[in-house]
Amino acid sequence: MADLDDLLTKTSRTFALSIPLLPQPTRLEVTLGYLLFRIADTFEDAKDWGVDRKVAALNRFCDLLDLGCRKPPGDPEVRRALEEAALEWADAAPIDHDGYQELLREVPAVLEVFFALDEPARRLIREHVVRTSIGMADYVTRTRDGELELRDLEDLQHYCYIVAGIVGEMLTELFVLGRPELDAAADDLRRRARRCGEAQQLVNILKDSAFDADEGRSYLAGAERKKVFALARADLRTAAEYILLLQDSGTDRGLVAFNALPVLLAKEALDAVESQGPGAKVARPRVFSIMESLERDLDAGRPVVSLDGAAATDVH
């Protein structure tokens, strides 16, 4: 896990805090799932690449995942294909971010660990990463002169599903895998999964809207900002329901903490953006305060999230 954790720290903020809370083997599975989604994100966000090159990289990435899942771990054909792709992608430097560039160089190492996972987890992760990559490629083809502009709130929701809602669905399938205590809640969790991912993405889009505009991404141009805030709050309420379902099931403490921390931080970030505007961040001392409060609630057996304040009206 050491090298994977290092890559996680260099490519994520929230996930680097929350993934270590998970029990094994889910921690390893989610780490790999996040890194694979991050690779796809890097291709989608490659501001110095044209449309054709982005789409080609996303398609090649899917092909590599399919090839590796069909061959035995350590297959020399797979290793060669991974090394060739990683060398090409890293040399092309698709994005000005040291952590993402290092991740591309380490594609062979990351995928070799992924291909060695047990088949059920490997199949679930591959399926969801491929779905996201194909969806990203569709949105990439909509860019004009390097810029993507979403049409309306419905288009924004669909984009959030592609890049984050599918992540929520993947995580849910990994959580219920091999955990009989979650059997009774599984369907209720699945119904809420996509909106858990959507909540995180909407908060990030609202927070980063000024930066995204500079990078040629106009996610909010076709949607009323008031309705986007309302939708984000409604989604955070759904995410809180999801977390309380986990907590009530008596499942592993780390599973509850992993899901609760990003939601608590997202609620805090949304409040900051709504009052201070795009670019507002949650201060580091406040992050640690939230983490400490979460631990105290878990120790005391109290609900770790509240439904109050997360709901919103006038979404549509």
Side-chain angles (χ1 to χ4, degrees):
M1 285 292 297
D3 291 339
L4 295 178
D5 284 345
D6 183 56
L7 285 172
L8 188 64
T9 300
K10 292 175 179 177
T11 57
S12 170
R13 293 187 298 271
T14 301
F15 275 109
L17 293 173
S18 60
I19 287 179
L21 301 173
L22 286 167
Q24 293 288 19
T26 308
R27 176 180 172 181
L28 175 59
E29 294 162 359
V30 173
T31 297
L32 289 164
Y34 168 77
L35 292 175
L36 296 183
F37 274 97
R38 181 66 262 174
I39 291 168
D41 286 342
T42 301
F43 297 144
E44 185 205 12
D45 294 340
K47 64 178 182 178
D48 295 329
W49 286 7
V51 169
D52 291 345
R53 190 165 195 176
K54 291 181 182 182
V55 171
L58 285 164
N59 289 336
R60 188 176 184 184
F61 182 47
C62 292
D63 291 342
L64 289 171
L65 291 173
D66 289 339
L67 176 65
C69 286
R70 285 188 282 106
K71 299 282 188 175
D75 183 88
E77 178 188 354
V78 175
R79 180 71 189 188
R80 284 194 301 272
L82 292 176
E83 289 176 346
E84 289 172 2
L87 182 62
E88 178 182 328
W89 293 334
D91 283 350
I95 195 167
D96 185 19
H97 188 292
D98 291 343
Y100 300 163
Q101 290 183 28
E102 181 176 347
L103 176 58
L104 293 184
R105 290 195 298 272
E106 295 297 330
V107 159
V110 172
L111 287 184
E112 284 193 348
V113 179
F114 167 67
F115 294 142
L117 288 177
D118 289 342
E119 195 277 334
R122 186 177 70 243
R123 174 179 49 79
L124 285 171
I125 295 170
R126 185 204 63 80
E127 172 191 338
H128 289 82
V129 173
V130 167
R131 288 174 59 214
T132 282
S133 298
I134 292 171
M136 285 179 174
D138 286 341
Y139 272 94
V140 166
T141 61
R142 286 175 47 182
T143 59
R144 296 293 180 270
D145 299 322
E147 296 188 1
L148 171 66
E149 182 173 313
L150 302 183
R151 293 184 293 267
D152 50 28
L153 186 64
E154 183 179 357
D155 198 16
L156 174 62
Q157 280 190 275
H158 185 256
Y159 176 79
C160 287
Y161 174 68
I162 293 298
V163 301
I166 291 174
V167 177
E169 291 175 344
M170 178 196 74
L171 291 173
T172 300
E173 295 305 325
L174 291 175
F175 297 156
V176 303
L177 188 64
R179 289 191 172 87
E181 74 274 13
L182 291 179
D183 287 350
D187 287 343
D188 287 332
L189 293 170
R190 289 185 177 109
R191 278 193 290 272
R192 292 166 171 81
R194 65 184 295 166
R195 294 192 66 183
C196 293
E198 180 179 277
Q200 300 292 327
Q201 188 66 23
L202 285 174
V203 172
N204 286 337
I205 284 173
L206 287 163
K207 176 171 61 70
D208 298 334
S209 59
F211 172 79
D212 286 332
D214 290 341
E215 295 286 305
R217 298 184 291 269
S218 299
Y219 297 128
L220 301 176
E224 290 182 42
R225 193 171 293 262
K226 174 185 174 183
K227 290 189 175 183
V228 179
F229 273 103
L231 179 59
R233 292 201 181 279
D235 285 348
L236 286 173
R237 180 185 174 89
T238 299
E241 294 171 354
Y242 182 101
I243 293 160
L244 294 175
L245 282 168
L246 286 174
Q247 194 169 14
D248 290 344
S249 74
T251 196
D252 188 278
R253 170 190 176 118
L255 208 62
V256 176
F258 166 82
N259 285 277
L261 180 58
V263 169
L264 293 168
L265 294 175
K267 171 65 167 59
E268 193 82 7
L270 189 63
D271 290 344
V273 173
E274 196 161 27
S275 62
Q276 302 169 36
K281 295 181 179 180
V282 181
R284 186 172 294 272
R286 180 59 181 152
V287 171
F288 289 127
S289 174
I290 290 171
M291 293 175 69
E292 290 171 356
S293 178
L294 173 59
E295 289 298 320
R296 288 195 298 270
D297 286 340
L298 287 167
D299 289 340
R302 294 188 294 262
V304 295
V305 292
S306 170
L307 299 180
D308 296 336
T313 57
D314 193 29
V315 174
H316 296 289

